[in-house]
Amino acid sequence: MRAASTILKEQIQYFYLIRRLSLYELKSSNNSNYLGMAWELINPAIQILIYWLVFGTLMRREPIQIAGQTIPFISWLMAGFFVWTFFYQSVIQGSKSIYTRLRILSKMSFPMSIIPSYVIFSEFYIHLMSMTVTFIVFIILRQPFSIYLLQLPYYMFAGLCLMFSISLVMSTLSTIIRDVHMLLNSVLRMLLYLSGVLWPISLLSNYPLLMKFMKVNPVYYLISGYRAAFFEQKWLFITEWKYTLAFWIIVGVLFLFGSKLHMKFRRHFIDYL
């Protein structure tokens, strides 16, 4: 618990620096592109169109039925895919954030635990832009909004906690063993098809045990939460409180383990250059 407390205090104490560095990270990563940060939206938009073409057109996916209303597949896909992109990029970039910056950051006087934080925050800004685009598209498509949209900030916060906890674990392991990052990349690509991003898990209604296992997946928890905020008429994190509890237990365990691991090895990170 002492390690977790230390990590938490560092995030609060250096929060201003985290925001400053995240903005710098966002600008510097797109500095050499003519379209700049626009590529952060163009890339996932192209992927959404490809998946819509394959699953929604060529495979003739039927519109999704949610809370008595028919949701076009493209709208349903957008509501979940931008969340997945946020998660994937945050975890991938967060997992390599320490070892790719060790030479520079070893000369600076701030704790290394904030490195995954500012990398994730830079992806969060992109996610906010993606959500803005989603709102505009939904308005054009005349998708009605409800008061349940107010649960969206909760799921954003939950996502940040999950991504930081995973990144804290993986950034430490990736610094010690570089192959961990490659393994993580492969696992996340597989997770895309196991988190209900591209298909509704209601298709598993004949397999109730498998369906319950899918719902415990923390990534599915986030994706279903975003879709509930846009399309459903309920406070999902309350009505599905058992999965909310399971989600925060998973996040808590990851954070405690990641904090312990990070504090144990961070004095020796420079040895792994």
Side-chain angles (χ1 to χ4, degrees), residues 26-40 42-43:
L26 185 60
K27 293 175 182 178
S28 62
S29 61
N30 295 282
N31 205 25
S32 60
N33 300 326
Y34 284 110
L35 295 180
M37 286 186 288
W39 279 110
E40 302 290 353
I42 294 172
N43 280 330

Side-chain angles (χ1 to χ4, degrees), residues 82-83 86 123-131 156 226:
F82 278 130
V83 188
F86 175 36
E123 295 295 335
F124 182 59
Y125 294 133
I126 297 169
H127 181 60
L128 291 178
M129 290 188 286
S130 301
M131 286 295 99
M156 289 181 179
Y226 271 68

Side-chain angles (χ1 to χ4, degrees), residues 147-167:
I147 191 174
Y148 298 98
L149 200 61
L150 294 176
Q151 61 191 312
L152 206 55
Y154 160 76
Y155 284 103
M156 289 181 179
F157 174 74
L160 287 170
C161 292
L162 174 65
M163 294 163 205
F164 176 69
S165 299
I166 295 175
S167 296

Side-chain angles (χ1 to χ4, degrees), residues 105-227:
L105 297 175
S106 61
K107 302 174 184 178
M108 298 185 179
S109 58
F110 56 79
M112 289 191 177
S113 68
I114 75 167
I115 302 173
S117 297
Y118 81 71
V119 170
I120 292 171
F121 244 81
S122 69
E123 295 295 335
F124 182 59
Y125 294 133
I126 297 169
H127 181 60
L128 291 178
M129 290 188 286
S130 301
M131 286 295 99
T132 302
V133 172
T134 302
F135 275 105
I136 293 172
V137 171
F138 283 3
I139 290 171
I140 293 173
L141 296 176
R142 298 182 179 179
Q143 171 63 42
F145 299 118
S146 69
I147 191 174
Y148 298 98
L149 200 61
L150 294 176
Q151 61 191 312
L152 206 55
Y154 160 76
Y155 284 103
M156 289 181 179
F157 174 74
L160 287 170
C161 292
L162 174 65
M163 294 163 205
F164 176 69
S165 299
I166 295 175
S167 296
L168 201 57
V169 175
M170 302 311 297
S171 61
T172 303
L173 293 178
S174 296
T175 302
I176 300 169
I177 307 171
R178 298 290 193 270
D179 299 62
V180 170
H181 179 72
M182 302 302 296
L183 176 62
L184 176 66
N185 200 5
S186 299
V187 170
L188 288 181
R189 291 183 185 278
M190 179 179 65
L191 198 61
L192 170 64
Y193 299 95
L194 300 176
S195 301
V197 182
L198 305 175
W199 52 277
I201 69 165
S202 57
L203 296 176
L204 298 175
S205 56
N206 294 328
Y207 306 94
L209 287 178
L210 182 57
M211 194 170 176
K212 285 183 178 180
F213 178 77
M214 290 280 291
K215 286 185 176 182
V216 175
N217 178 352
V219 182
Y220 173 76
Y221 177 81
L222 297 176
I223 292 170
S224 62
Y226 271 68
R227 285 172 175 158

